[in-house]
Amino acid sequence: MSRERALAIWTAAVDAVRPEPLVRAALEVEPAIRSAPRILVVGAGKAGPGMAAGLEDALTDRLDRVEGLLNVPAGMTAPLKRIRLHPARPQGVNEPTAEGVAGAEEMLRLLQSAGPDDVAVCLLSGGGSALLPAPVEGVSLADKLAVTKLLHRCGATIDEMNCVRKHLSRVKGGRLAEAFRGKLLLALIVSDVVGDPLDVIASGPTAPDPTTFADALRVLRKYDLSTSAPSAVLHHLEAGARGEFPETLKSVPACVQNRVIGSNRVALDAAKRKAEELGYRVLDLGSFVEGETRHVATAVAGIVRSIKRDTAPIPAPACVLLGGETTVTLGAHAGKGGRNLEFVAALVAKLGAEMEGVTVLSGGTDGEDGPTDAAGAVADSATLAALAEQKITADDFVQRHDAYHLFERVGGLIRSGLTGTNVMDVRVILVR
């Protein structure tokens, strides 16, 4: 029963950030879009299909003026009436591809074709950075992918990775907005980044960028990548730091408006309402949770113990909620998993026998967790029994970053499929 309740709370969070109603509501108050001779639609992200469907629904009486495309994962390209959904990468592989480059280049050409009275709507959501690649001249897609992988393995933050990627791109760091010369460019954004910073979400294709070429070089030096990163990447960043290439956009034109319409905070608020409806006292730890996944799990284990033993900060029945996005620093021979799977495995390992009366669920709101077919996992005291029966320990799998195979063996994988949205992660811990 507790597993079902945890899943119901997580599902309520995901449902609250479905993109169709969010986009419809946002466009209802934009008269400039309805009067435009052309409505150009561009963008990228895992919520792209729902966002595009919401736009077409909102502009059903103006569809003859709508044209454009969005880069989305393969398998999410069901035909719409006017907007083409372009398959820019395979499902479960969060890496840029040549198909993504082709889509991004078509978007640049479309925006550059805008007349003075045309408007554009840019639909951005989680996964946009990988789905919207357009490397600068002299840097190949393979070069850009290689430096991104190096940064990920070193545990670089999303801010640091985006700083480097923006300075290797023709669309990120405000450059997509720079291509538009029409009347209004409205960016509607479903945020997958802690704090919802416009310059970081999808690497900020329509937002000003406070970072510089020098900052990007400092990121590589911080992680000792100055010799291992591709030479083309280093040469471009060094030339940019010398002023040989223009910087990313530092202010956007007056015609550009950026609006966040969905976020992790919205999802957590819905999760809280559902948990209270089910009879739980709620401790909401917020949407700003970052850090190494195992360290976050250790902190949450301490909160669970305090609830069970001291009835503090709240007594049982309790629901602890936390959002945000943590990091997993991989070793040389990592197994299969993601930050949500590892969080659940690490909490099981920390609590051990104290899992009695505790249910923990962690899932990516997009339905994906790392390179797996699972959104995350759920565990409870039955998980301990399965571990004992198979004579294995959760900690062994945590140390190998192999949590997917742990839950494949003992049960608990959440295979929701792609949800059509993405606002980072939602974790639900129930204590009775």
Side-chain angles (χ1 to χ4, degrees):
M1 178 64 73
S2 291
R3 286 194 180 195
E4 288 77 8
R5 289 186 172 192
L7 188 59
I9 293 167
W10 180 81
T11 300
V14 173
D15 286 345
V17 287
R18 300 286 182 185
E20 294 95 326
L22 296 175
V23 170
R24 283 197 301 268
L27 292 178
E28 285 175 358
V29 293
E30 290 297 337
I33 292 176
R34 295 186 169 276
S35 62
R38 295 170 75 209
I39 304 169
L40 312 178
V41 182
V42 297
K46 297 175 183 178
M51 296 183 82
L55 183 144
E56 288 195 349
D57 190 38
L59 302 177
T60 186
D61 59 340
R62 298 288 191 276
L63 282 182
D64 59 324
R65 306 179 188 184
V66 174
E67 58 181 299
L69 76 155
L70 266 67
N71 278 5
V72 299
M76 302 180 71
T77 54
L80 298 172
K81 294 176 181 176
R82 297 287 296 179
I83 302 168
R84 179 161 60 87
L85 299 176
H86 177 69
R89 68 158 175 84
Q91 286 190 26
V93 181
N94 196 28
E95 296 178 353
T97 66
E99 290 80 9
V101 174
E105 290 177 340
E106 188 172 342
M107 291 177 209
L108 287 169
R109 288 192 294 269
L110 182 63
L111 293 179
Q112 289 163 354
S113 76
D117 294 320
D118 292 340
V119 302
V121 181
C122 184
L123 303 174
L124 298 172
S125 57
S129 286
L131 286 163
L132 202 60
V136 294
E137 186 175 353
V139 175
S140 70
L141 185 61
D143 290 333
K144 196 172 178 184
L145 180 57
V147 73
T148 300
K149 285 183 174 180
L150 287 170
L151 288 166
H152 183 70
R153 287 177 187 147
C154 291
T157 67
I158 189 170
D159 289 6
E160 291 170 329
M161 287 191 282
N162 282 349
C163 172
V164 173
R165 288 188 289 206
K166 282 186 284 189
H167 288 87
L168 301 171
S169 174
R170 288 178 284 140
V171 298
K172 296 176 172 69
R175 297 201 188 279
L176 190 67
E178 199 173 26
F180 180 68
R181 292 291 182 270
K183 184 176 182 180
L184 167 69
L185 188 155
L186 175 64
L188 301 180
I189 301 165
V190 175
S191 171
D192 69 329
V193 182
V194 172
D196 310 328
L198 297 176
D199 61 295
V200 178
I201 303 166
S203 295
T206 61
D209 173 33
T211 69
T212 65
F213 280 105
D215 292 330
L217 282 172
R218 277 192 284 272
V219 170
L220 297 187
R221 290 170 185 148
K222 173 182 176 180
Y223 294 103
D224 197 24
L225 299 178
S226 297
T227 56
S228 55
S231 59
V233 167
L234 290 166
H235 291 160
H236 182 80
L237 296 180
E238 289 167 349
R242 293 193 298 267
E244 297 176 22
F245 297 114
E247 263 293 354
T248 48
L249 214 61
K250 301 310 171 193
S251 62
V252 294
C255 67
V256 176
Q257 297 179 22
N258 289 288
R259 188 177 306 164
V260 176
I261 60 173
S263 67
N264 193 247
R265 181 67 265 161
V266 172
L268 287 175
D269 287 344
K272 180 180 179 181
R273 290 192 295 270
K274 184 63 176 179
E276 290 175 339
E277 176 187 314
L278 292 172
Y280 292 96
R281 300 178 181 90
V282 176
L283 175 62
D284 184 347
L285 298 179
S287 62
F288 286 78
V289 178
E290 297 180 277
E292 189 70 22
T293 298
R294 285 182 283 181
H295 298 162
V296 174
T298 297
V300 173
I303 293 171
V304 170
R305 290 187 180 110
S306 183
I307 292 172
K308 293 185 72 172
R309 299 182 188 183
D310 302 331
T311 67
I314 58 174
C319 172
V320 181
L321 298 174
L322 58 157
E325 185 171 284
T326 60
T327 304
V328 175
T329 303
L330 298 176
H333 304 289
K336 185 176 182 179
R339 58 184 180 267
N340 290 286
L341 290 158
E342 182 150 321
F343 174 84
V344 179
L347 194 54
V348 170
K350 285 292 177 183
L351 288 175
E354 292 177 286
M355 279 292 295
E356 186 64 39
V358 177
T359 301
V360 54
L361 181 154
S362 185
T365 55
D366 57 358
E368 290 185 312
D369 190 37
T372 77
D373 62 354
V378 60
D380 55 20
S381 57
T383 307
L384 294 181
L387 290 169
E389 182 179 352
Q390 297 186 40
K391 296 182 172 58
I392 56 177
T393 68
D395 191 57
D396 285 344
F397 288 84
V398 172
Q399 296 305 321
R400 300 196 302 269
H401 304 294
D402 198 26
Y404 181 88
H405 290 125
L406 169 66
F407 292 109
E408 196 174 43
R409 290 181 63 172
V410 301
L413 288 174
I414 300 172
R415 291 190 173 102
S416 63
L418 295 178
T419 64
T421 192
N422 185 14
V423 295
M424 301 184 287
D425 306 326
V426 171
R427 303 173 189 87
V428 181
I429 299 94
L430 304 180
V431 185
R432 68 172 189 271

